[in-house]
C-alpha cells in the first residue's frame, strides 16, 4: 500500500488564488544597478584582479632596471613602459572580461531566470556594461596606484641623489640645482598623469561596448575575444590604412564604399592615443579631454543601441 | 483582468535550424488555459514542444502565430513577468553567489529591498530547507539543492504563477519527493502552478489538470479523473479478506451476466515509495 497522499482530482480548485502583485516601473535604474553590482561581484570572484599582480611585477621590474641614461630620461622611460602596459592591460581586460559575461549567461541559462523576472533587455545590457566599466575603472586606479608608487620612489631617489651629488661637487649655484631637479621632477609623478589614465579608461570603455555588441550575437566567448581583438587592431590602423586605400582606389566605388563603411563601423582607437603625449610630459589640452569624453559617450550609446537591436528580439 | 492565469490561443512556433531551408514546427496551433489557483501539467515526450510553449509564455520567445497571455497581459509585457516565477530545467545560477545572495539578487531585480527582502529570503530558505546552506556558494550545492534554491528564487517576489520546467530532472527520489511536496504546498497556498514534465507519476500526484502534447499539438486535455478513469471498470481494495470471502466475491461477479473479473492480486507500493520508506527509515535510524 502506498503511503503517498491521494492525488488531487478536483476539476475546479477550491483554493483562493493569490492577489496581484505591485506595479512595475517601465525602466528601473535599481535593476540596472543590481545587474551591474552582480557583474562586479562575478568578475571579482572569478579572480580577474589577479592580472594586477602580473602588472605590478612588470612595473616593479621596469622600475628597477638600471638604464644608462640621465635620471630624467630614465624616469620618462619607466613612465612610458608602465603607462603603455597599463593601457594594454586595460583594453585586454575589457575584451576578456566582457566576452565572458553574456555568452556564459546564455550557456548556463542564467539569462532565462533573469529575463523571466521583470527586467528589460536594455536594463540587462546596460547593467552588464556598467559592471564591466566599474571593474575597469577600479583596475585602472589600482594600476595607476602601483605606477605612481614606483615612479614616486624612483623620482625621490633620483632627486636626492642628484641633489647630494650637485651639492657635494660645489660647482653649482642654488638656481642651477633647482633647475636640474625640476627637470627630473618634470618627468616624475605629476597630476596630469591622471588624464592619461582617463584616456586609457575611455579607450577600454569603447572596447568593452564593442565587445558587448559582438557578444549579443556571438556563439562563444572565444569567438567574441578573437573578433574584438581583431577589431581593436583594425581600429588602431584603419585611419592610416583607409587614407591609403581611398587614395589608391580613386575610381573603384566598391572599395571606396567598403573602406568608408569600415571607417564608420569600427571605432578609431588611434584617437585615444593622446595619452602618450601626456605621459611624455606634454601639456594637457582640456578641450581635447572633453572632446574625447564626448566621443567615448557617443560610441557607448551607439554600440549599446546596436547591441539592443540584436538582443531585443533574440530568442533563447 | 482575466480569471485565467495563462491563456494560450492558436500558438504556432516554427524554427529554421541553422541555415537550412526546411522548417521545424515546434508548436502547432496550440490552445489551452491554466486557471488561477490550479496545478496544470503539460506532459509529452522530449521534443514535443513543452519547453518552447513555456518560453513563449515567459516572453523569452515570440510566437509566429497566435498569442500567449498571463493574467490577461501579453506574455512579452514586463508587468506579466512580475506575476511569474520561473524555474528552468537544470538551472545554473551564478556559482560565485551563495544561496542567500542568489535570492537577494533576484529579489532586487523584482524591486524588493531592505527588511522585506531579508524576511522573504529567510522565509524561502526555510521553505526549501536550505537555511543551513544559505551562506555556502552554489558551486558546492548538490543537484537537489540547486533545484530547491531555484524554486525559492522563482517565488522571491511572491508571484501568482509559478512555471516549472522539468522540476525534478536529474534529482534523486528523495530530492524529487521534497520538490513534489513543495509543489503541493504551493498549491495549498493559492499559487497557480504550470509545470512541464515527462515524469508521469509525478504529474499524476500533483496536477489538477493535465494536457498531453505530442509533436507540438495538444492530443488530450482534462482533469486526471477524466483522463485516466476507465469508465466501465471498478476497483476495490479490501483489507484482511479471507480466501472464503474472495471466493464468494468471485462467484457473485460470475453470477451477473456481462460482468467479468479483470484482475485481482495484492496491492503494491510503487518503487519510488519503497525507496523513500527505506531512505527515511535509514535516516531515522541514524538520528
Amino acid at each position: 500500500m502506498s503511503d503517498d497522499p491521494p492525488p488531487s482530482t478536483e476539476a475546479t480548485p477550491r483554493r483562493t488564488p493569490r492577489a496581484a502583485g505591485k506595479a512595475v516601473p517601465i525602466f528601473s535604474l535599481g535593476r540596472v544597478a543590481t545587474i551591474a553590482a552582480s557583474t562586479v561581484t562575478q568578475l571579482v570572484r572569478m579572480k580577474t584582479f589577479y592580472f594586477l599582480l602580473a602588472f605590478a611585477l612588470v612595473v616593479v621590474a621596469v622600475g628597477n632596471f638600471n638604464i644608462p641614461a640621465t635620471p630624467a630620461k630614465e624616469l620618462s622611460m619607466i613612465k612610458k613602459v608602465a603607462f603603455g602596459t597599463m593601457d594594454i592591460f586595460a583594453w585586454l581586460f575589457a575584451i576578456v572580461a566582457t566576452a565572458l559575461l553574456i555568452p556564459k549567461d546564455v550557456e548556463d541559462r542564467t539569462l532565462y531566470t533573469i529575463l523571466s523576472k521583470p527586467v528589460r533587455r536594455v536594463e540587462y545590457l546596460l547593467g552588464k556594461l556598467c559592471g564591466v566599466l566599474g571593474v575597469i575603472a577600479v583596475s585602472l586606479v589600482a594600476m595607476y596606484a602601483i605606477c605612481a608608487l614606483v615612479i614616486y620612489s624612483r623620482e625621490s631617489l633620483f632627486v636626492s641623489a642628484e641633489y647630494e651629488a650637485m651639492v657635494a661637487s660645489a660647482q653649482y649655484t642654488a638656481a642651477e640645482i633647482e633647475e636640474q631637479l625640476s627637470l627630473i621632477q618634470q618627468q616624475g609623478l605629476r597630476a596630469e598623469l591622471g588624464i592619461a589614465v582617463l584616456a586609457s579608461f575611455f579607450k577600454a570603455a569603447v572596447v568593452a561596448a564593442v565587445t558587448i555588441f559582438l557578444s549579443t550575437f556571438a556563439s562563444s566567448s572565444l569567438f567574441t575575444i578573437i573578433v574584438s581583438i581583431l577589431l581593436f587592431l583594425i581600429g588602431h590602423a584603419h585611419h592610416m590604412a583607409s587614407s591609403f586605400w581611398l587614395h589608391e582606389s580613386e575610381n573603384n566605388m566598391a572599395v571606396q564604399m567598403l573602406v568608408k563603411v569600415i571607417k564608420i563601423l569600427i571605432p578609431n582607437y588611434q584617437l585615444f592615443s593622446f595619452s602618450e603625449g601626456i605621459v611624455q610630459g606634454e601639456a594637457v589640452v582640456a578641450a581635447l579631454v572633453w572632446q574625447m569624453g564626448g566621443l567615448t559617450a557617443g560610441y557607448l550609446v551607439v554600440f549599446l543601441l546596436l547591441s539592443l537591436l540584436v538582443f531585443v528580439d533574440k530568442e533563447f | 483582468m482575466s480569471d485565467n492565469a495563462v491563456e494560450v490561443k492558436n500558438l504556432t512556433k516554427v524554427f529554421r535550424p541553422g541555415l537550412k531551408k526546411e522548417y521545424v514546427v515546434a508548436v502547432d496551433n496550440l490552445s489551452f488555459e491554466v486557471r488561477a489557483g490550479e496545478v496544470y501539467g503539460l506532459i509529452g515526450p522530449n521534443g514535443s514542444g513543452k519547453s518552447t510553449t513555456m518560453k513563449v509564455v515567459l516572453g523569452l520567445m515570440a510566437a509566429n502565430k497566435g498569442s500567449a497571455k498571463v493574467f490577461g497581459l501579453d506574455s512579452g509585457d514586463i508587468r506579466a513577468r512580475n506575476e511569474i516565477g520561473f524555474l528552468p530545467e537544470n538551472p545554473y545560477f551564478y556559482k560565485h553567489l551563495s544561496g542567500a545572495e542568489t535570492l537577494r539578487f533576484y529579489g532586487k531585480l523584482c524591486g524588493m529591498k531592505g527588511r522585506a527582502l531579508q524576511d522573504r529570503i529567510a522565509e524561502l530558505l526555510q521553505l526549501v530547507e536550505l537555511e543551513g546552506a544559505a551562506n555556502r556558494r552554489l558551486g558546492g550545492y548538490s543537484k537537489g539543492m540547486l533545484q530547491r534554491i531555484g524554486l525559492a528564487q522563482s517565488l522571491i517576489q511572491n508571484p501568482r504563477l509559478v512555471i516549472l520546467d522539468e522540476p525534478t530532472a536529474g534529482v534523486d527520489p528523495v530530492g524529487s519527493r521534497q520538490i513534489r511536496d513543495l509543489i503541493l504546498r504551493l498549491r495549498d497556498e493559492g499559487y497557480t502552478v504550470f509545470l512541464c514534465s515527462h515524469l508521469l507519476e509525478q504529474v499524476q500526484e500533483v496536477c489538477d489538470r493535465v494536457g498531453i502534447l505530442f509533436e507540438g499539438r495538444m492530443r488530450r486535455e482534462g482533469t486526471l479523473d477524466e483522463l485516466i478513469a476507465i469508465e466501465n471498470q471498478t476497483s476495490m481494495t479490501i483489507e484482511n479478506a479471507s480466501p472464503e470471502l474472495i471466493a464468494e466475491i468471485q462467484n457473485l461477479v460470475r453470477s451477473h451476466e456481462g460482468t467479468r473479473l479483470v484482475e485481482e492480486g495484492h496491492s503494491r507500493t510503487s518503487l519510488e515509495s519503497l525507496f523513500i520508506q527505506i531512505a527515511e527509515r535509514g535516516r531515522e535510524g541514524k538520528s
Side-chain angles (χ1 to χ4, degrees), chain A residues 1-13 15-26 30-31 34-35 38 41-43 45-47 104-105 107-121 123-124 128 314-316, chain B residues 13 15 35-39 55 58-62 78-79 81-84 86 88-89 92-94 96-97 101 105-106 108-111 137 153-154 156-160 177 180 187-191 204-205 207-208 223-225 269 273 277:
Chain A
M1 193 69 153
S2 169
D3 289 342
D4 301 346
S8 166
T9 55
E10 291 173 350
T12 310
R15 301 174 287 274
T16 314
R18 303 178 77 80
K22 60 178 186 176
V24 186
I26 296 298
R31 292 194 289 256
T34 302
I35 292 168
S38 148
T41 313
Q42 184 179 6
L43 291 171
R45 292 192 183 169
M46 278 165 79
K47 298 184 172 60
K104 194 162 168 27
D105 275 7
E107 207 178 301
D108 291 351
R109 302 180 195 189
T110 320
L111 193 63
Y112 290 8
T113 48
I114 294 173
L115 294 183
S116 62
K117 295 287 180 205
V119 174
R120 287 194 176 277
R121 294 186 182 203
E123 292 167 343
Y124 173 79
K128 286 284 172 194
K314 190 166 176 162
E315 297 190 333
F316 301 102
Chain B
K13 181 69 194 172
F15 291 109
R35 298 169 196 154
E38 76 173 350
V39 180
K55 285 178 183 175
L58 285 162
L60 294 172
M61 269 184 188
I78 193 168
R79 290 170 299 167
R81 293 208 293 280
N82 199 37
E83 304 286 5
I84 302 174
F86 173 56
E89 185 185 357
Y92 290 94
F93 300 107
Y94 290 127
H96 60 272
L97 296 180
E101 284 171 338
F105 170 65
Y106 286 101
K108 282 183 174 177
L109 288 183
C110 297
R137 290 202 187 166
Q153 74 73 29
S154 72
I156 190 78
Q157 83 273 32
N158 223 340
R160 286 197 280 170
R177 175 59 57 99
R180 188 209 69 162
R187 182 186 71 176
D188 294 338
E189 288 179 12
Y191 286 94
Q204 193 171 333
E205 282 177 340
C207 291
D208 298 310
T223 64
L224 275 166
D225 265 355
T269 181
S273 300
Q277 279 173 25

Side-chain angles (χ1 to χ4, degrees), chain B:
Chain B
M1 278 278 175
S2 168
D3 282 343
N4 289 320
V6 178
E7 267 179 35
V8 172
K9 273 190 191 156
N10 309 111
L11 176 72
T12 299
K13 181 69 194 172
V14 177
F15 291 109
R16 199 168 75 168
L19 298 170
K20 291 178 184 171
K21 279 186 180 170
E22 70 261 34
Y23 291 90
V24 174
V25 181
V27 180
D28 187 7
N29 203 29
L30 179 69
S31 295
F32 67 94
E33 290 160 358
V34 179
R35 298 169 196 154
E38 76 173 350
V39 180
Y40 186 94
L42 197 59
I43 61 174
N46 291 335
S48 58
K50 306 185 297 286
S51 294
T52 304
T53 306
M54 279 196 167
K55 285 178 183 175
V56 174
V57 171
L58 285 162
L60 294 172
M61 269 184 188
N64 294 97
K65 247 173 68 184
S67 67
K69 288 187 187 297
V70 176
F71 292 106
L73 297 163
D74 188 83
S75 64
D77 192 318
I78 193 168
R79 290 170 299 167
R81 293 208 293 280
N82 199 37
E83 304 286 5
I84 302 174
F86 173 56
L87 173 70
E89 185 185 357
N90 299 325
Y92 290 94
F93 300 107
Y94 290 127
K95 284 182 190 158
H96 60 272
L97 296 180
S98 69
E101 284 171 338
T102 301
L103 297 186
R104 193 169 301 120
F105 170 65
Y106 286 101
K108 282 183 174 177
L109 288 183
C110 297
M112 299 171 76
K113 56 187 171 184
R115 195 72 244 164
L117 178 58
Q118 280 309 110
D119 291 347
R120 183 68 180 151
I121 291 169
E123 186 188 339
L124 287 171
L125 285 170
Q126 195 181 12
L127 177 77
V128 297
E129 295 174 24
L130 283 173
E131 305 107 300
N135 297 318
R136 201 193 304 169
R137 290 202 187 166
L138 298 195
Y141 273 31
S142 71
K143 193 79 196 283
M145 290 163 87
L146 276 176
Q147 288 292 110
R148 280 185 283 144
I149 201 73
L151 193 59
Q153 74 73 29
S154 72
L155 300 172
I156 190 78
Q157 83 273 32
N158 223 340
R160 286 197 280 170
L161 169 67
V162 183
I163 298 183
L164 312 171
D165 190 5
E166 303 283 1
T168 55
V171 179
D172 66 35
V174 177
S176 177
R177 175 59 57 99
Q178 286 174 323
I179 290 169
R180 188 209 69 162
D181 291 344
L182 281 170
I183 296 171
L184 290 172
R185 195 166 160 184
L186 295 181
R187 182 186 71 176
D188 294 338
E189 288 179 12
Y191 286 94
T192 305
V193 181
F194 172 31
L195 65 92
C196 273
S197 182
H198 55 253
L199 299 175
L200 306 185
E201 192 183 355
Q202 203 170 59
V203 170
Q204 193 171 333
E205 282 177 340
V206 298
C207 291
D208 298 310
R209 289 195 309 128
V210 174
I212 303 173
L213 206 60
F214 188 74
E215 291 179 342
R217 303 183 81 165
M218 188 68 86
R219 304 292 163 155
R220 290 282 303 276
E221 194 194 24
T223 64
L224 275 166
D225 265 355
E226 287 164 0
L227 292 176
I228 63 174
I230 303 171
E231 290 299 328
N232 65 348
Q233 289 186 13
T234 307
S235 70
M236 295 167 72
T237 305
I238 306 167
E239 201 170 44
N240 299 327
S242 64
E244 292 78 22
L245 177 62
I246 293 171
E248 213 173 303
I249 292 168
Q250 286 170 343
N251 286 334
L252 195 63
V253 170
R254 267 185 233 115
S255 67
H256 282 74
E257 203 181 326
T259 313
R260 189 170 65 91
L261 184 66
V262 179
E263 191 186 343
E264 71 167 288
H266 290 290
S267 295
R268 288 172 185 272
T269 181
S270 68
L271 190 59
E272 190 197 356
S273 300
L274 186 66
F275 181 89
I276 299 286
Q277 279 173 25
I278 292 168
E280 275 171 2
R281 269 185 218 142
R283 205 184 293 159
E284 279 164 18
K286 266 188 191 173
S287 59

